[in-house]
Amino acid sequence: MWLLAALLTSCSFGINNTIFKWSNTKGFSKIHIQFFFYISAFFLTLGFSLISGKYHIHLLAIVLGATIGILNAYGNIQMSHAFDNGPASLTSPLIAANTLFPILCAGLIFKEHITLVQWLGILSMLGAALIIQYSPKASKNVHYTLWMLHIILAIFSFGVLGVLMQVSSHLHIESLEVLTAMYGGGSAYLLITMARKKEKVQKSEVKIGATVSMLSLIGYSCYFYALNTGISSIVFPIVSLNCLVVVFIGCYLYKERLKLYQMAGVAIALIGIILTKI
């Protein structure tokens, strides 16, 4: 079941990323959309936990959850800036390398036993994620110093985020408490960011944000379930394959064909998933 949960997480995140990319082409603010999806998800999780009586105030859960939410929002903003200042062909693959942080953490700190075959599967999935997102023909004016700074900050944010999610699962903290704090912390950070920028909010951004919040709730609920019941060093690379969903939806919407290297990446990803289950 944990493998299915990880795959559902990958699908949810992939659809979310597709919506974000589409909204950017329409001139919508990624910060505004993120805020409305965070705040919608916060009230949904808080309301559900209060009604069900499952919410308890634990300082550690609040600190961990809020930090995860802020890191995720900050990482997304840095990734957006990286796309603005550097080549899209390299930005996504480089940021995808953040998955190595929690994978190494699983082996070195949490002492997860990973067989040689599973390592081959993990490396296959990570390689597939890099290959699929690489766009050799993409080019633009590059500000290398700014671009590299945003890349490093995004990798650090997403990498630490993954490690903290592992920590919360190993401490057996109730995932609903972490999710509520995560969306609350992210909302607070994005509200401050919006106040500094003073940009006008569009109605469509509110609607898109509310839609994304539902997908995010499904994705992160499955994510925590997979981490709590499965092998986290395998869960993380599977989740990183959300780029597959983005590519497939792009092919469907824009009638594009998969490039040869992308088809190879898909094949490698499938092989990787199979190897991790042997």
Side-chain angles (χ1 to χ4, degrees):
M1 285 298 291
W2 64 267
L3 179 63
L4 178 60
L7 290 170
L8 284 173
T9 301
S10 187
C11 289
S12 299
F13 287 1
I15 296 171
N16 268 2
N17 289 338
T18 302
I19 293 173
F20 278 132
K21 287 188 176 182
W22 171 82
S23 63
N24 282 342
T25 63
K26 299 297 181 180
F28 297 130
S29 168
K30 191 172 184 178
I31 294 176
H32 291 172
I33 292 173
Q34 276 198 94
F35 170 73
F36 288 110
F37 108 62
Y38 264 92
I39 198 68
S40 298
F42 171 69
F43 284 118
L44 284 170
T45 50
L46 181 62
F48 177 78
S49 58
L50 290 175
I51 292 171
S52 63
K54 292 182 178 180
Y55 187 76
H56 304 283
I57 299 176
H58 292 136
L59 182 60
L60 185 57
I62 292 172
V63 172
L64 275 175
T67 305
I68 290 170
I70 292 170
L71 285 170
N72 189 49
Y74 182 76
N76 282 328
I77 292 171
Q78 293 304 316
M79 182 167 62
S80 179
H81 289 322
F83 277 114
D84 291 337
N85 289 279
S89 57
L90 295 175
T91 297
S92 291
L94 283 173
I95 292 176
N98 75 82
T99 313
L100 290 172
F101 276 63
I103 291 174
L104 292 174
C105 183
L108 298 174
I109 298 177
F110 299 113
K111 307 299 181 183
E112 283 190 354
H113 176 66
I114 307 169
T115 66
L116 178 60
V117 174
Q118 288 176 327
W119 268 117
L120 290 173
I122 290 168
L123 293 174
S124 295
M125 285 187 284
L126 292 176
L130 298 178
I131 292 168
I132 291 163
Q133 296 181 89
Y134 178 59
S135 303
K137 292 183 179 179
S139 61
K140 64 182 294 181
N141 293 327
V142 180
H143 304 286
Y144 281 105
T145 303
L146 278 176
W147 177 62
M148 282 306 301
L149 176 62
H150 293 307
I151 289 284
I152 291 169
L153 290 173
I155 290 175
F156 178 79
S157 298
F158 292 135
V160 174
L161 180 158
V163 173
L164 291 180
M165 288 186 68
Q166 269 185 305
V167 170
S168 68
S169 67
H170 277 268
L171 293 176
H172 303 292
I173 299 174
E174 177 61 47
S175 57
L176 188 59
E177 293 180 35
V178 179
L179 278 173
T180 305
M182 181 186 87
Y183 290 121
S187 298
Y189 171 75
L190 289 164
L191 182 62
I192 294 170
T193 305
M194 285 171 60
R196 290 172 59 188
K197 287 185 173 293
K198 298 180 180 179
E199 295 176 347
K200 185 178 179 181
V201 176
Q202 302 180 52
K203 289 183 179 179
S204 297
E205 293 170 342
V206 180
K207 294 177 181 177
I208 295 169
T211 302
V212 171
S213 70
M214 298 304 296
L215 291 168
S216 177
L217 276 172
I218 295 171
Y220 272 104
S221 297
C222 290
Y223 206 167
F224 276 110
Y225 175 81
L227 289 175
N228 287 329
T229 59
I231 304 171
S232 57
S233 52
I234 295 175
V235 171
F236 288 115
I238 290 176
V239 172
S240 72
L241 292 177
N242 65 78
C243 56
L244 273 174
V245 180
V246 177
V247 169
F248 284 141
I249 294 177
C251 288
Y252 175 77
L253 292 177
Y254 304 111
K255 309 300 179 184
E256 297 174 348
R257 291 185 178 181
L258 281 175
K259 299 174 179 64
L260 185 60
Y261 68 88
Q262 289 178 319
M263 292 176 66
V266 173
I268 294 170
L270 293 174
I271 292 171
I273 292 173
I274 294 169
L275 288 174
T276 57
K277 291 303 293 176
I278 293 177

